[in-house]
Amino acid sequence: MSGTYKTFKYMLDFACLGGKCEDTCCKGWDIRIDKFHYQLMQEKVAATGAEAAAEFARHVQLNDGESAGDQNYAHINLRADGFCPFLDQDSWCSLHKNYGEAPLSNICAYYPRVLSQCGNTVELSGAMSCPEMVRKCLFGAGHDELVDFDPAILPRPDDYPLTRELSLPADDDYYDHFVAVRNILMQLATLEGFSFESRLYFMATFANRIGKFYHHDCQLPDPKRLTAELKQALNASGLEKLDDFVIKYSPAEPIAVIVVQSVLQLRMQQFPHEYTSRLATEIFQSYAEHFPDASPDVLIQALPPEPLWALYRSRKETIDRCFSLELEEYLSRFLVNCLYREWFITMPDLFTYLQMLVIRLAVLRFLLYSHTGINQLAEQLAAKNSKPTDKELGELRDIVVKVVYNYSRSIDHNLPFLRVVYDAMNEQQMMTFDYAMPFIRF
Ligand code: SF4
């Protein structure tokens, strides 16, 4: 395929850790198999013998129903404990080990890589539900500069699966200006000299302004207007004013903490045993200790929002005194990964995409800034009145990786769950610019 191949520098040397990974990805997910690789694997397995063929037939089931097709041809039935039945005792895929990479399903061969075709450019990005990808993205070199890559670095360079495609020109103004609009978002997300919160606010303001005429199915009456808005978005004096507004803003009501608590409680009720739910339960219990009258059942009973908000802000201030630079950097890198990996044009308009993104980020920030381990590290440093050592920064990074990849698995990459959150927000009429700031200044 002719054209260009773009990715972030940290993606160039990504390699799955296999059996050395702290948490396999072959668990708890819907593992789909495309028709071509199903047939290839079936041939390889049959050539090995009747026992292997019977095992394959026992664990792999053909799909039927409306969603079945060449890309969704079959699926692997997980074991009762949620693990893939082909995972061996060394936490390595036995199909991969016995037959190589060629017959693996697209999802197994490519995860956590995401490939998208935008015009003549193939974009490679990485899903943050993989702990090694989180380490590359948050701590590796080159998180904000796109570089060319050779498709030879891909597992199957001549046969890579595309998650999405956009032919350009698309004869649709929403799609045709996608790359230019996303470029501005990525520039705003990485602007130096402004806080993470201010940069989020610049993006939300920009999205709100252009959303009046730039959205799904729009026909731009005057394309120059969009060009002018793109230029205006980076205007230095305009950004200073917005920055000043963010610094002075103080939420009248702790709306964001109410929403974040509800989102996490929903997850805790639905999946109490997963890591994010257990972490959220531990966090709410640690906050509940400050409320003598609070119900001990933090799964059901919401903590009162005003004091919860005050306690959260207090923990965040303690942590920020020691780790503000590091955590802002990690969050910025996470944000840029989202902007590049996800395409906002899959949503009806840019502001809807951004409002959901700032809500998702608020949930992640709540988990990080409420984390008792990070809080303890910050309190120890404050008591010593010293800067973090490499060891302490290493401990911080380990906690961040665990929180981020688990949060991505259970919430951030979970489209049905995010749909429930979106519907609830929409019903409460909170998908508007008036409700952006409480989640940004969080
Ligand atoms: S989670 Fe990432 S590093 Fe771990 S086994 Fe899966 S792809 Fe490999």
Side-chain angles (χ1 to χ4, degrees):
M1 189 181 292
S2 65
T4 54
Y5 294 82
K6 292 279 181 196
T7 192
F8 292 111
K9 207 169 170 190
Y10 64 81
M11 291 292 302
L12 297 178
D13 61 350
F14 170 82
C16 166
L17 299 182
K20 296 201 179 97
C21 179
E22 66 261 56
D23 190 352
T24 177
C25 50
C26 310
K27 182 183 76 174
W29 282 2
D30 181 17
I31 306 176
R32 294 179 203 180
I33 308 179
D34 52 289
K35 185 176 181 181
F36 177 77
H37 293 104
Y38 171 87
Q39 290 175 339
L40 200 58
M41 182 63 81
Q42 201 179 34
E43 278 172 30
K44 299 259 180 203
V45 169
T48 311
E51 198 181 323
E55 195 196 2
F56 184 75
R58 199 166 54 247
H59 297 313
V60 181
Q61 198 177 325
L62 292 181
N63 291 331
D64 50 24
E66 277 180 19
S67 64
D70 285 359
Q71 282 307 312
N72 185 23
Y73 190 69
H75 67 274
I76 298 176
N77 286 322
L78 300 181
R79 294 191 322 223
D81 59 6
F83 285 88
C84 176
F86 296 111
L87 203 62
D88 71 12
Q89 285 167 340
D90 302 323
S91 293
W92 191 230
C93 171
S94 58
L95 294 176
H96 192 175
K97 194 187 269 177
N98 294 332
Y99 309 108
E101 203 164 62
L104 291 181
S105 72
N106 281 332
I107 208 159
C108 296
Y110 273 84
Y111 176 84
R113 301 168 191 83
V114 177
L115 286 141
S116 310
Q117 172 108 32
C118 184
N120 282 332
T121 304
V122 174
E123 302 177 347
L124 169 65
S125 53
M128 300 293 268
S129 43
C130 159
E132 181 61 4
M133 188 60 78
V134 175
R135 276 185 284 271
K136 290 280 178 205
C137 174
L138 301 196
F139 318 135
H143 74 287
D144 57 357
E145 191 195 338
L146 291 167
V147 295
D148 292 324
F149 75 93
D150 184 339
I153 66 166
L154 298 174
R156 292 194 291 240
D158 300 324
D159 173 30
Y160 50 78
L162 291 170
T163 300
R164 56 182 86 81
E165 285 176 77
L166 174 61
S167 299
L168 290 173
D171 240 2
D172 181 319
D173 286 339
Y174 192 45
Y175 299 140
D176 283 341
H177 296 278
F178 162 62
V179 174
V181 172
R182 184 181 61 175
N183 280 346
I184 295 294
L185 288 175
M186 288 176 52
Q187 286 183 60
L188 291 172
T190 51
L191 269 182
E192 287 188 6
F194 297 101
S195 69
F196 179 70
E197 293 182 349
S198 288
R199 283 177 276 138
L200 283 182
Y201 189 60
F202 301 159
M203 291 161 64
T205 307
F206 166 64
N208 186 49
R209 284 171 67 105
I210 67 168
K212 294 179 179 73
F213 59 92
Y214 175 71
H215 47 75
H216 194 248
D217 269 346
C218 67
Q219 285 191 332
L220 296 182
D222 178 8
K224 282 192 196 142
R225 188 171 169 198
L226 182 63
T227 310
E229 288 288 357
L230 299 184
K231 211 168 149 200
Q232 174 62 25
L234 296 167
N235 176 278
S237 70
L239 294 176
E240 302 262 321
K241 281 188 199 136
L242 294 177
D243 184 44
D244 195 44
F245 179 70
V246 174
I247 291 166
K248 291 182 179 144
Y249 176 86
S250 169
E253 289 176 80
I255 293 163
V257 90
I258 297 171
V259 172
V260 168
Q261 185 170 209
S262 307
V263 169
L264 288 172
Q265 273 186 323
L266 181 62
R267 200 67 205 165
M268 286 150 62
Q269 286 157 11
Q270 289 180 340
F271 299 94
H273 303 299
E274 69 181 17
Y275 173 82
T276 301
S277 295
R278 288 187 280 114
L279 173 63
T281 305
E282 188 187 306
I283 286 171
F284 286 123
Q285 278 168 344
S286 71
Y287 282 131
E289 288 169 11
H290 298 263
F291 303 94
D293 300 331
S295 159
D297 195 351
V298 292
L299 239 81
I300 309 292
Q301 193 79 40
L303 296 172
E306 297 275 357
L308 177 61
W309 173 243
L311 285 167
Y312 167 70
R313 295 297 298 181
S314 158
R315 264 192 207 183
K316 185 170 186 293
E317 272 167 32
T318 306
I319 290 172
D320 268 343
R321 277 197 283 276
C322 306
F323 297 121
S324 66
L325 285 181
E326 287 78 11
L327 287 172
E328 285 231 338
E329 172 76 8
Y330 304 157
L331 287 164
S332 299
R333 287 169 171 241
F334 183 90
L335 171 65
V336 174
N337 174 282
C338 290
L339 294 173
Y340 193 63
R341 178 173 42 81
E342 308 162 346
W343 283 5
F344 73 78
I345 47 173
T346 56
M347 299 289 259
D349 61 82
L350 177 57
F351 183 76
T352 302
Y353 169 76
L354 267 181
Q355 180 70 343
M356 281 306 291
L357 184 58
V358 295
I359 293 166
R360 288 156 51 197
L361 284 165
V363 176
L364 175 60
R365 288 153 85 199
F366 183 83
L367 292 172
L368 289 171
Y369 287 110
S370 301
H371 196 289
T372 48
I374 300 181
N375 201 45
Q376 274 164 13
L377 271 176
E379 282 177 348
Q380 284 162 13
L381 282 169
K384 287 192 289 180
N385 195 19
S386 62
K387 287 202 161 42
T389 60
D390 286 350
K391 180 174 171 287
E392 284 151 344
L393 285 175
E395 286 173 38
L396 172 74
R397 287 178 169 203
D398 287 348
I399 295 174
V400 170
V401 169
K402 193 163 185 181
V403 173
V404 169
Y405 86 78
N406 278 291
Y407 157 79
S408 299
R409 286 182 182 191
S410 48
I411 296 178
D412 211 52
H413 293 182
N414 187 335
L415 292 183
F417 186 79
L418 290 179
R419 179 79 216 185
V420 172
V421 175
Y422 168 81
D423 287 344
M425 294 293 296
N426 210 20
E427 208 176 293
Q428 297 296 318
Q429 301 182 343
M430 290 171 85
M431 295 302 293
T432 64
F433 187 59
D434 288 346
Y435 286 98
M437 190 57 127
F439 294 95
I440 291 171
R441 197 84 169 87
F442 188 72

